[in-house]
Amino acid sequence: MPQRYFGIYLQSSLLSLLLLITPYFAVAKITPKPTSSHYSQGHFALSYDTEIHYNHNEAKAVAQQFADFLRPPTGYQLPVTQANNTVKNSVFFKLVEQPVSAEGYQLIVEKEFIEVKASTAQGLFWAMQSLRQLLPAAIESRMPINRQSWLIPQVKIDDEPRFSYRGMHLDVSRHFFDVAFIKRYIDWLAMHKLNVFQWHLTDDQGWRIAIDAYPKLTTIGATRPHTVVGHTYDYKPLFDNQAVAGFYTKAQVKEVLEYAKARHIEVIPEIDIPGHSTAILAAYPELSCHQQPVNVQAQFGIFEDVLCPREDVFEFLAVVYQEVAELFPSQYIHIGGDEVIKKQWLASAEVKKLMQQHNLKTPEQVQSYFIKRVAKIVQALDKKVIGWDEILEGGVADDALIMSWRGTEGGIQAAKMGHQVIMSPYQYIYFDAYQSRNLDEPKAIHGLTGLQDVYQYDPQPNDLNAEQQAYIIGAQGALWTEYIKTPRHAEYMLFPRLSALAETLWSSKDNKSWPDYSQNRLPKLFKRYQQMHINTANSAYKPTISSTIDDTGLHAAVTTEIADIPIYYTLDGTEPTLASIRYNKPILITKETQLRAKSYAAAIGQLVGDARLTLSPHLALTKKITLSHPAAESSAAKLQDGQFAYDQFYSSDDYAIFYDTDLEAIIDLAEPTLVTQVKLGYNSGRHRQLHPPVKIQVLGSNDQHTWQSLAEDTNPQGPVSALSFTKVKVRYLKVIAINSKQSDDPQIPKLPLYIDEIAVN
């Protein structure tokens, strides 16, 4: 055989072999993972002359959506026509009467045709999302792709969701997002087979929906003059000079609702009352108990201004909820009910009178009275009420659905009471939390919710029996936007955690596998997100540094959420590269060291992360430490764990916290020991400036009766104070840090004092 012909033959043979094994590489690549999927050799080749058919008018819209989705990257103008039977080189969307769940579907890909079967248009739509993922990732491009084979592996899929309620929330009050972004958000939910979008439209920082009867809600309540710079709890916070404004007209809301309806997503509005109502009261201060002017909040958190439980307030809310109900076709309205500070109620003569009239003994019962009154308003509009789990306090309204966010306890209580429950615990599925402890993570509110945390969360607690678990109708992720100002930042916080949530809510519990998801399917999702130009977080590939202390010393370990990721590190504070030391076992730390690490993510093709931790194997490790304040004793170990916290983002778990007292710690070195320095770590934590102590003192003793002053710092600046002194031999060290006795706010008697380490050298 001539050489050039042999080369052509070899290329042809390799191509045939590639096409033969392609389906096996494609096995189980769909996320969320289907109930069952059986792959065969072969593929269906989508081409310019493929036809798209449907058998019923209700299936026509899905068939047309599929053709529209294919057009930009392929350039194919595929005809969409009604047919009775499946024919060669066609994709057939078929409504059938077989016993399939309302959202279930069957997808059959043969070499010569594709059949999509479901008993509802919604089921066909979810099937289309699976078919979309069977195509190469390039199908996600909205620009033409040349020289691309659009091959779909031969497979039979039977699939249906585990939960009927699969939701995702977006806060547009703290930062406003335009209609174009809301539509993209809905597209993302649809791609991941989520079927509920909760639109958090009102809060202290802005009212975002037009209400005809009360125009000042948007002319006044939709704008704040500036926003806190940094974290809202920073020491001496600053503000920018940029107004945040915006709201949705009723026409825009209708536009979004039509868009969501076409994607089989229910949009639930949230109008949060009676707390988180500063924007309402800025517009209509007469609705408060004090009836004094207030401003739309420029900081974040929980505030004292609340709606007053008066008849004029309920009349106001009746009008608001009526306009909302007329606009939104959803069966639900979310009324909030969370984080209500009751101080203004307790100071109000009107509320005291109300409590006497209705035999209300506690502020929680006043809240229950308020929520029940609002629930009746909503129920009279033929809507069901959803509220955060605080509405359980003092007695809950009949037929209210409980959204459990402060953990799972509220959901468990509600299920035992016979209320339907939507789980939304902040520890697992709040996407405003950090995704790793690396320093290259963007600013977030607090806490750590990694990809694996989301994936392994189960909405049905084991301490409920089967009957009670049936009241858990699903779960909902949340994206609060205090520190999320831009769409790109929102994308980073959503992806890929949104895919993990989707699998948690769609796939059966027994069908889930973290190794399969993280190692086999997540890399494919990254390629798909890349084609969609989504700013995807690679946090699950980033390293995490931890340490332990044993008889041999202080040891550092470096791990990643996803197994078998190569990690490279340095011990001199320099940035790791592929030429740095590769991690393979815990590292013995023999002197104060800043350990830095990066990992190599093959799915991305680069080193990722910036993990840092300063470790100190000092003399006081494992030694007895006594705190003068008994309440802090439980956190004393954090003062002697060999870690300084300033290399990390803020986490309360790093600190011994003194809310109402000074630090006074006595360290027993077990025997007289030469010491020359004490280092105190405080006021640390990336993205959150904590409050420094007023003064630090170090004293030494050999009998705990006579104390010698060794050093003091009268102007601590942080994040670490190193108090050095002439070498002295002592058994006991007393370290005192004086808490600030007064903040800038005269209502706060003392500021919290956070101490992360007392290192003795």
Side-chain angles (χ1 to χ4, degrees):
M1 180 181 295
Q3 187 174 3
R4 65 186 181 94
Y5 288 112
F6 177 76
I8 294 171
Y9 170 78
L10 181 61
Q11 288 178 341
S12 177
S13 299
L14 289 172
L15 178 60
S16 298
L17 178 62
L18 178 63
L19 293 177
L20 184 67
I21 64 176
T22 292
Y24 294 101
F25 286 125
V27 171
K29 74 175 183 180
I30 295 172
T31 304
K33 191 175 182 180
T35 305
S36 69
S37 53
H38 301 282
Y39 288 80
S40 303
Q41 294 182 8
H43 61 272
F44 175 86
L46 189 76
S47 62
Y48 71 93
D49 57 351
T50 300
E51 296 181 357
I52 299 178
H53 296 157
Y54 62 92
N55 72 331
H56 193 284
N57 279 338
E58 291 184 16
K60 180 179 180 180
V62 181
Q64 187 63 57
Q65 283 173 310
F66 187 57
D68 293 342
F69 174 74
L70 295 175
R71 188 174 300 119
T74 66
Y76 300 158
Q77 299 282 343
L78 303 184
V80 178
T81 58
Q82 190 165 1
N84 295 321
N85 300 304
T86 304
V87 297
K88 186 177 180 180
N89 195 22
S90 70
V91 181
F92 194 5
F93 289 88
K94 184 183 294 187
L95 279 176
V96 296
E97 294 182 358
Q98 63 191 50
V100 177
S101 66
E103 296 185 86
Y105 66 88
Q106 185 179 76
L107 174 59
I108 301 170
V109 180
E110 297 288 359
K111 294 179 182 179
E112 296 189 345
F113 64 85
I114 296 174
E115 279 191 344
V116 183
K117 300 179 181 179
S119 57
T120 66
Q122 189 176 28
L124 291 178
F125 185 79
W126 302 138
M128 186 184 80
Q129 303 309 317
S130 292
L131 183 55
R132 167 184 181 175
Q133 287 196 49
L134 290 173
L135 281 155
I139 201 69
E140 303 295 340
S141 171
R142 299 299 86 192
M143 298 295 290
I145 303 294
N146 296 321
R147 300 176 183 173
Q148 171 72 52
S149 296
W150 304 108
L151 304 180
I152 303 173
Q154 191 173 338
V155 65
K156 179 181 179 182
I157 295 174
D158 290 282
D159 200 10
E160 62 181 354
R162 177 185 178 190
F163 291 104
S164 62
Y165 188 108
R166 305 181 304 281
M168 189 63 209
H169 151 291
L170 177 65
D171 164 25
V172 296
S173 175
R174 276 54 179 261
H175 284 96
F176 181 72
F177 293 86
D178 64 19
V179 168
F181 178 80
I182 301 299
K183 288 182 176 181
R184 288 179 62 208
Y185 202 87
I186 289 169
D187 282 335
W188 296 333
L189 304 194
M191 173 185 175
H192 293 82
K193 301 187 178 79
L194 299 176
N195 62 354
V196 177
F197 169 46
Q198 181 181 326
W199 208 353
H200 185 85
L201 292 161
T202 71
D203 218 295
D204 294 297
Q205 292 77 21
W207 180 280
R208 304 295 180 207
I209 180 172
I211 300 296
D212 294 338
Y214 297 106
K216 287 194 289 186
L217 287 172
T218 49
T219 58
I220 295 175
T223 303
R224 64 176 183 267
H226 53 238
T227 303
V228 64
V229 175
H231 198 281
T232 197
Y233 295 123
D234 278 357
Y235 180 53
K236 297 180 180 178
L238 302 173
F239 295 88
D240 62 21
N241 59 358
Q242 299 177 355
V244 175
F247 67 93
Y248 307 101
T249 66
K250 287 190 173 182
Q252 289 174 319
V253 171
K254 290 176 181 177
E255 181 183 347
V256 168
L257 293 174
E258 285 299 314
Y259 195 85
K261 181 181 179 181
R263 287 149 185 80
H264 300 275
I265 290 176
E266 182 175 5
V267 181
I268 298 176
E270 181 183 359
I271 308 297
D272 200 352
I273 51 86
H276 289 291
S277 296
T278 311
I280 300 175
L281 298 176
Y284 297 98
E286 63 270 21
L287 299 177
S288 68
C289 290
H290 59 68
Q291 300 186 342
Q292 299 299 312
V294 299
N295 296 317
V296 179
Q297 274 292 343
Q299 288 186 278
F300 307 117
I302 311 172
F303 304 98
E304 292 182 1
D305 284 307
V306 297
L307 297 174
C308 203
R310 284 196 318 264
E311 289 306 314
D312 62 318
V313 174
F314 295 123
E315 291 170 4
F316 167 88
L317 291 175
V319 173
V320 169
Y321 282 115
Q322 182 175 352
E323 290 198 28
V324 170
E326 290 172 351
L327 196 57
F328 285 83
S330 169
Q331 60 182 316
Y332 303 109
I333 291 180
H334 201 304
I335 63 171
D338 60 311
E339 298 180 324
V340 180
I341 296 179
K342 304 168 181 73
K343 182 177 179 179
Q344 292 180 1
W345 289 352
L346 292 174
S348 168
E350 290 178 292
V351 175
K352 291 177 182 177
K353 183 179 179 180
L354 176 77
M355 293 177 72
Q356 293 174 350
Q357 289 175 339
H358 295 275
N359 196 29
L360 306 176
K361 304 299 184 183
T362 66
E364 288 70 30
Q365 289 179 336
V366 176
Q367 177 171 325
S368 175
Y369 169 84
F370 197 113
I371 294 297
K372 287 179 178 179
R373 287 290 303 269
V374 174
K376 288 181 179 179
I377 292 170
V378 173
Q379 290 162 351
L381 297 168
D382 199 26
K383 302 287 187 180
K384 297 178 183 178
V385 169
I386 301 177
W388 301 108
D389 56 64
E390 285 96 329
I391 72 171
L392 290 167
E393 298 169 1
V396 64
D398 294 338
D399 300 327
L401 278 74
I402 306 302
M403 189 168 280
S404 186
W405 77 274
R406 294 179 298 174
T408 60
E409 294 79 10
I412 292 171
Q413 179 188 349
K416 289 180 177 179
M417 294 168 62
H419 286 269
Q420 288 189 322
V421 173
I422 302 156
M423 286 294 196
S424 189
Y426 72 91
Q427 303 97 319
Y428 304 104
I429 52 178
Y430 267 34
F431 295 165
D432 52 332
Y434 287 96
Q435 299 179 73
S436 82
R437 301 209 68 178
N438 283 242
L439 265 69
D440 58 349
E441 293 289 340
K443 182 170 57 179
I445 187 167
H446 52 61
L448 177 65
T449 302
L451 185 64
Q452 189 172 12
D453 296 321
V454 179
Y455 189 85
Q456 294 183 338
Y457 170 65
D458 184 6
Q460 291 183 320
N462 291 328
D463 45 358
L464 293 177
N465 61 37
E467 181 181 357
Q468 293 165 342
Q469 284 188 346
Y471 286 104
I472 311 292
I473 64 173
Q476 181 169 284
L479 187 63
W480 301 98
T481 62
E482 285 93 336
Y483 303 101
I484 301 172
K485 298 181 179 181
T486 66
R488 296 296 280 171
H489 191 176
E491 291 171 8
Y492 185 92
M493 304 305 278
L494 282 170
F495 295 98
R497 290 188 289 190
L498 187 70
S499 68
L501 173 67
E503 187 147 312
T504 291
L505 298 180
W506 180 280
S507 305
S508 65
K509 187 175 180 180
D510 296 337
N511 204 26
K512 292 177 61 183
S513 164
W514 169 251
D516 172 51
Y517 165 80
S518 62
Q519 296 179 20
N520 298 331
R521 289 181 287 122
L522 186 62
K524 295 180 174 66
L525 277 175
F526 265 85
K527 292 179 181 178
R528 202 163 290 273
Y529 295 155
Q530 184 179 24
Q531 289 289 340
M532 298 169 71
H533 302 289
I534 289 173
N535 182 27
T536 310
N538 52 35
S539 307
Y541 294 100
K542 295 178 182 179
T544 297
I545 304 173
S546 60
S547 67
T548 56
I549 303 168
D550 61 20
D551 293 341
T552 63
L554 177 65
H555 301 266
V558 192
T559 58
T560 54
E561 277 192 280
I562 299 173
D564 302 324
I565 304 296
I567 300 169
Y568 299 87
Y569 71 92
T570 63
L571 296 172
D572 59 1
T574 59
E575 182 177 359
T577 68
L578 289 172
S580 301
I581 308 168
R582 182 165 175 175
Y583 178 83
N584 56 35
K585 65 179 181 180
I587 307 158
L588 178 65
I589 305 298
T590 59
K591 62 181 180 179
E592 185 168 308
T593 300
Q594 187 191 57
L595 172 59
R596 292 186 66 178
K598 288 178 175 283
S599 52
Y600 182 77
I604 305 165
Q606 64 185 43
L607 282 173
V608 298
D610 186 4
R612 305 185 196 185
L613 186 60
T614 296
L615 298 157
S616 177
H618 55 83
L619 297 173
L621 291 186
T622 74
K623 300 299 191 292
K624 181 181 178 181
I625 181 169
T626 304
L627 302 180
S628 61
H629 196 279
E633 286 290 342
S634 61
S635 60
K638 297 174 184 178
L639 300 172
Q640 304 281 259
D641 61 6
Q643 297 184 10
F644 285 97
Y646 58 81
D647 290 330
Q648 309 282 4
F649 67 79
Y650 165 78
S651 173
S652 61
D653 291 339
D654 292 332
Y655 302 92
I657 304 173
F658 302 85
Y659 282 108
D660 57 355
T661 188
D662 305 325
L663 162 73
E664 184 174 318
I666 296 177
I667 300 168
D668 184 352
L669 298 174
E671 60 184 9
T673 304
L674 285 173
V675 294
T676 61
Q677 184 190 69
V678 170
K679 294 182 73 173
L680 187 71
Y682 59 90
N683 185 32
S684 46
R686 183 170 172 81
H687 294 324
R688 184 156 172 176
Q689 182 187 6
L690 305 177
H691 301 277
V694 174
K695 183 171 71 171
I696 303 170
Q697 296 173 284
V698 178
L699 303 95
S701 175
N702 282 305
D703 58 9
Q704 292 196 79
H705 296 293
T706 303
W707 291 94
Q708 174 188 1
S709 178
L710 300 178
E712 68 176 40
D713 184 349
T714 58
N715 187 30
Q717 295 299 310
V720 175
S721 282
L723 289 85
S724 299
F725 42 86
T726 303
K727 185 183 296 184
V728 61
K729 182 178 283 190
V730 293
R731 174 173 173 175
Y732 302 100
L733 286 169
K734 180 185 290 187
V735 180
I736 299 171
I738 306 299
N739 196 352
S740 298
K741 295 298 188 273
Q742 190 73 44
S743 71
D744 294 335
D745 184 347
Q747 296 184 7
I748 302 175
K750 284 191 177 183
L751 296 168
L753 181 61
Y754 292 71
I755 308 294
D756 70 307
E757 191 71 11
I758 304 176
V760 178
N761 301 303

